[in-house]
Amino acid sequence: MSGLKVVVVGSGIVGLSTAAVLVQRGCSVTILDRDAVAAGASRGNAAAIAWTDVAPLASPGIWKDAIKWMMDPLGPLTVRPAYALKILPWMLRFLAASRPAQVAASTKALAALNAGALPAWDRLWRASGTHNQVRYDGCLEVFTDLRKLAATRASWAEQRRYGIEVRELSSVGIRDLEPALSDKVVGGALVPGWAQVDDPYHLCLDLADWLKTQGVHFQTACVEAVQPGADWVDLRTAQGDTVRADKAVIACGAWSKSLAAQLGDRVPLDTERGYNITVSNPGVDLLRFIMLPGHGFVLSPLSTGLRIGGAVEFGGLDLPANWKRVSAMVTRAKEIVPGLQACEGKTWMGFRPSLPDSLPVIGLASASPHICYAFGHAHHGLTQAATTGELSAQLLFGETPSIDLAPFGAQRF
């Protein structure tokens, strides 16, 4: 089946990774995107290959924290009032996904997907010559509240059941690894298997450059319609052009919902808006990725500076950004890292494409075996991109996927 003409819709990290796998299989690949390479969520993510994260966001106890967080308009989770009615159906599905049986099923599926994440990335990094952009310094989960620390031990135990190493540390042990942290830290854990890239945007640009050397064609075009034929796929753009291919991959993140609907799959995709600031001269040296679960954001040392970001805001694709959320994260970060200097920095807001059960959509479209979905990765687009690319290629080539993809199908809704 080499020589197939494949169109990938989306030039974020998932689309780029999928194109990379396909071109190595001998396909002729075109990437269509409404914007420039990695102009969306892939441009400003936290840079983590967080394959050790196997717990879905939906969980039996999340609502206790969620209600408290939503009382604070600048807290870790908020819903913009103008978007409250639109997000309500998603929230009801999220509530259903928080039942213990569903959480257990989602955890099993995430663990299977994430188990292949780092090996798939290693193959792609080496093939593309970008393997020098990854670090294996681990992740520190840091707590300033003893109750939240105690409550998190159950999730650490779950990770260990899947063979993931988690080393609990005292407050002294944490500060031995990261002396810049304040004495407000009461404890946490080191997850040594975690990996991180130097800068996610630079990785995307370098992958795109490599893909061009492999003959991949990039075209700026907004795909408005997908029409499958007997053994082809037509993609119509907003410019009035029609691109015909043997196969197609829908990997345009937050903009994938309407295309899936045209193909008979009503996917409850929405967006978790994430905010961050990247400070080129933070005044402190952090040696590894630091996660602050009780505060809803992370500290990520990049080659371009310290990225402070995270949080979840439900506000859709059209409402303006609320930059006060960045200021709130910086204020809290300074309490945990007293020497932090963040008066100036590059701010960013992006749209994480999210499903209520925390599982992406990876599978064939109902309308055609020639169209594959690869979207909805939420906080783990970078983590799961390479393995999603391999799985998508397996589906398009009619092969048995390396993991059970039933939990990820669009038809599960």
Side-chain angles (χ1 to χ4, degrees), residues 13 16-18 20-21 24 119-131 207 210 385-386 390:
I13 191 60
L16 294 171
S17 300
T18 303
V21 176
Q24 290 180 86
W121 261 121
D122 188 61
R123 289 186 284 273
L124 179 49
W125 283 324
R126 296 195 178 279
S128 61
T130 55
H131 55 282
L207 282 174
W210 176 76
E390 292 185 351

Side-chain angles (χ1 to χ4, degrees), residues 52-125:
T52 60
D53 285 355
V54 297
L57 182 60
S59 62
I62 191 67
W63 284 97
K64 295 178 182 178
D65 285 332
I67 292 172
K68 181 178 69 175
W69 287 338
M70 284 190 287
M71 299 292 287
D72 178 1
L74 301 179
L77 170 64
T78 190
V79 178
R80 296 283 282 271
Y83 202 70
L85 288 178
K86 290 184 178 180
I87 196 61
L88 182 58
W90 192 99
M91 287 291 190
L92 293 175
R93 287 182 178 271
F94 181 82
L95 178 60
S98 300
R99 294 175 295 186
Q102 182 58 54
V103 170
S106 295
T107 301
K108 181 179 179 182
L110 280 173
L113 181 63
N114 285 357
L118 200 53
W121 261 121
D122 188 61
R123 289 186 284 273
L124 179 49
W125 283 324

Side-chain angles (χ1 to χ4, degrees), residues 92-169:
L92 293 175
R93 287 182 178 271
F94 181 82
L95 178 60
S98 300
R99 294 175 295 186
Q102 182 58 54
V103 170
S106 295
T107 301
K108 181 179 179 182
L110 280 173
L113 181 63
N114 285 357
L118 200 53
W121 261 121
D122 188 61
R123 289 186 284 273
L124 179 49
W125 283 324
R126 296 195 178 279
S128 61
T130 55
H131 55 282
N132 60 339
Q133 299 184 32
V134 61
R135 310 192 303 268
Y136 301 91
D137 300 317
C139 168
L140 272 182
E141 293 187 29
V142 172
F143 292 84
T144 57
D145 185 317
L146 285 170
R147 289 174 297 179
K148 290 191 178 298
L149 171 62
T152 303
R153 289 191 176 108
S155 66
W156 292 341
E158 183 76 359
Q159 286 174 289
R160 294 183 185 111
R161 281 194 285 273
Y162 283 99
I164 297 164
E165 184 179 3
V166 182
R167 303 176 195 164
E168 184 169 356
L169 299 171

Side-chain angles (χ1 to χ4, degrees), residues 53-58 90 93-94 97 101-114 162 253 267-270 272 352-363 373-381 384 388 403-413:
D53 285 355
V54 297
L57 182 60
W90 192 99
R93 287 182 178 271
F94 181 82
Q102 182 58 54
V103 170
S106 295
T107 301
K108 181 179 179 182
L110 280 173
L113 181 63
N114 285 357
Y162 283 99
V267 179
L269 181 73
D270 214 291
E272 299 176 39
R352 308 182 190 103
S354 300
L355 281 303
D357 58 4
S358 300
L359 303 181
V361 175
I362 306 171
Y373 298 134
F375 62 82
H377 296 77
H379 298 253
H380 294 103
Q384 299 164 351
T388 295
I403 66 170
D404 178 13
L405 287 179
F408 304 95
Q411 298 77 22
R412 70 185 190 264
F413 299 107

Side-chain angles (χ1 to χ4, degrees), residues 24-362:
Q24 290 180 86
R25 281 176 169 249
C27 297
S28 172
V29 181
T30 297
I31 297 179
L32 304 180
D33 197 298
R34 65 178 58 231
D35 211 331
V37 169
S42 297
R43 184 185 186 102
N45 67 63
I49 309 296
W51 69 272
T52 60
D53 285 355
V54 297
L57 182 60
S59 62
I62 191 67
W63 284 97
K64 295 178 182 178
D65 285 332
I67 292 172
K68 181 178 69 175
W69 287 338
M70 284 190 287
M71 299 292 287
D72 178 1
L74 301 179
L77 170 64
T78 190
V79 178
R80 296 283 282 271
Y83 202 70
L85 288 178
K86 290 184 178 180
I87 196 61
L88 182 58
W90 192 99
M91 287 291 190
L92 293 175
R93 287 182 178 271
F94 181 82
L95 178 60
S98 300
R99 294 175 295 186
Q102 182 58 54
V103 170
S106 295
T107 301
K108 181 179 179 182
L110 280 173
L113 181 63
N114 285 357
L118 200 53
W121 261 121
D122 188 61
R123 289 186 284 273
L124 179 49
W125 283 324
R126 296 195 178 279
S128 61
T130 55
H131 55 282
N132 60 339
Q133 299 184 32
V134 61
R135 310 192 303 268
Y136 301 91
D137 300 317
C139 168
L140 272 182
E141 293 187 29
V142 172
F143 292 84
T144 57
D145 185 317
L146 285 170
R147 289 174 297 179
K148 290 191 178 298
L149 171 62
T152 303
R153 289 191 176 108
S155 66
W156 292 341
E158 183 76 359
Q159 286 174 289
R160 294 183 185 111
R161 281 194 285 273
Y162 283 99
I164 297 164
E165 184 179 3
V166 182
R167 303 176 195 164
E168 184 169 356
L169 299 171
S170 67
S171 58
V172 174
I174 292 284
R175 286 194 295 276
D176 283 344
L177 292 177
E178 295 288 352
L181 298 180
S182 81
D183 57 9
K184 290 186 178 181
V185 172
V186 297
L190 173 67
V191 185
W194 186 286
Q196 180 177 358
V197 301
D198 288 339
D199 185 287
Y201 184 49
H202 292 171
L203 175 62
C204 287
L205 294 181
D206 288 345
L207 282 174
D209 287 343
W210 176 76
L211 287 169
K212 291 172 185 176
T213 70
Q214 305 302 302
V216 174
H217 175 63
F218 287 77
Q219 181 179 341
T220 302
C222 177
V223 176
E224 289 190 333
V226 181
Q227 180 62 51
D231 54 4
W232 71 86
V233 180
D234 282 344
L235 300 101
R236 190 177 73 247
T237 72
Q239 293 82 358
D241 300 322
T242 298
V243 180
R244 174 162 290 190
D246 300 309
K247 309 280 184 179
V249 180
I250 309 300
C252 47
W255 288 268
S256 302
K257 183 177 181 177
S258 62
L259 298 181
Q262 294 176 26
L263 298 166
D265 297 305
R266 295 191 173 275
V267 179
L269 181 73
D270 214 291
T271 60
E272 299 176 39
R273 294 151 62 114
Y275 291 80
N276 68 44
I277 181 171
T278 304
V279 184
S280 58
N281 296 298
V284 294
D285 289 324
L286 295 177
L287 305 177
R288 56 186 57 77
F289 193 100
I290 296 177
M291 186 182 298
L292 302 158
H295 299 274
F297 65 94
V298 304
L299 305 171
S300 178
L302 308 181
S303 58
T304 49
L306 179 64
R307 182 159 291 170
I308 306 165
V312 172
E313 178 188 71
F314 289 101
L317 294 169
D318 300 319
L319 292 177
N322 178 7
W323 296 114
K324 291 181 180 179
R325 295 184 65 75
V326 171
S327 300
M329 282 190 287
V330 169
T331 298
R332 293 186 176 109
K334 287 181 176 179
E335 296 174 358
I336 298 165
V337 186
L340 176 63
Q341 299 172 17
C343 297
E344 295 181 355
K346 187 174 183 180
T347 56
W348 177 87
M349 187 272 284
F351 304 102
R352 308 182 190 103
S354 300
L355 281 303
D357 58 4
S358 300
L359 303 181
V361 175
I362 306 171

